[in-house]
Amino acid sequence: MTKIQVLDLAGNAFTGSLPNSITKAKQLLRLDLSDNHLSGNIPDWWYDLQQLQVRDLYGNDLSGSIPPSICSPPSLFWLRLSRNNLSGELPRSFRNCNGLLALDIGDNNINGTIPEWFGESFLSLQMVRMTGNMIDGNAPTQLCQLSNLHILDLSHNNLTGSIPSCLGSLRGLKSVKFYKWNPNYYYFSYVFTSKMELVEKGTKKKYTFTLDQVNLIDLSSNNLHGEIPKEITNLSALGTLNLSWNQLSGRIPEDIGSMQKLETLDLSSNHLSGSIPLSMTSITSLSYLNLSHNNLHGPIPSTNQFGTFTDPSCFRGNPGLCGKPLMTDCSPAKRKETERKLKMMMMSMK
């Protein structure tokens, strides 16, 4: 066992605690014990596994806090602890995860705030998934320092405050890229498959081989307020934006049409007002839209991509909206004004 490099026991029915005998595998590079029934605390003996690069403990019954030695292996680039019963705050030892590319601690009972040092310590980080915890405090501006980030999922927490406008400067969401995990990617391409659960188009999906192509921001089901920052429209490579079930107000940014890679947009269950920006009709990639339960008013656009949104539930709960697919007809004056604005917008784009 001392020379073993890959230990993959995922998807079995193992019970009990993590065995201390794992520490004998001094050359271990990848450990995958996901989808089992392991219980007890995560042990604090990771100092003994200095070669470890991938650790996946997803989908067990592990409890207690995250141990201080969790980031001691200097080459660790993949840490997946999601869907357990872990509690406590984010440990200061996370500051040692300098080379981490993916951090998934979703669906636990982690509490406290996202610390200020988070953005300084994870400069290589490309994916952050913290959904389904009890993290509170303001939405952290320090996340804006993670310029390589292309997946940010902080949904289903207790975050407050406004959405940081500096998220619009995330370089990893301004251009389409294909990410590689580490310098030994070609070695890991046959022994390591990245895995992560994300919500896209209203459905939770398990991503594997295409995970490096996903560009997503999900801040849904928190207590965020204020306006949607116009700077977020700078994220021209963003594919999924979910800000639903918050307390957001104000208008939908007029320049949202510049987000030409957007496939999923969910702004439902907020307090947004004003009309639906006509620039949205130019997002030809948009295939899932939910603007329901806000205070939007005026005619629903009917041209281009909006002609495909035939389900009334996309717009329901906005008493001031009119036009198909809703049953409320628009007055001739409103319809004429909308057509005039649409023509002006199309002319300005030529």
Side-chain angles (χ1 to χ4, degrees), residues 143-156:
L143 292 174
C144 302
Q145 300 178 50
L146 307 176
S147 59
N148 295 315
L149 205 64
H150 68 99
I151 292 177
L152 175 62
D153 187 354
L154 302 178
S155 60
H156 296 275

Side-chain angles (χ1 to χ4, degrees), residues 211-256:
L211 182 61
D212 56 357
Q213 302 171 34
V214 175
N215 293 331
L216 173 147
I217 291 180
D218 191 344
L219 303 179
S220 62
S221 299
N222 280 285
N223 195 29
L224 300 171
H225 57 77
E227 298 186 357
I228 299 173
K230 65 180 185 300
E231 290 82 0
I232 210 162
T233 63
N234 295 330
L235 304 179
S236 54
L238 188 64
T240 294
L241 177 61
N242 191 345
L243 305 178
S244 62
W245 290 98
N246 279 288
Q247 305 294 326
L248 300 173
S249 57
R251 302 174 70 93
I252 300 173
E254 289 294 331
D255 293 336
I256 196 168

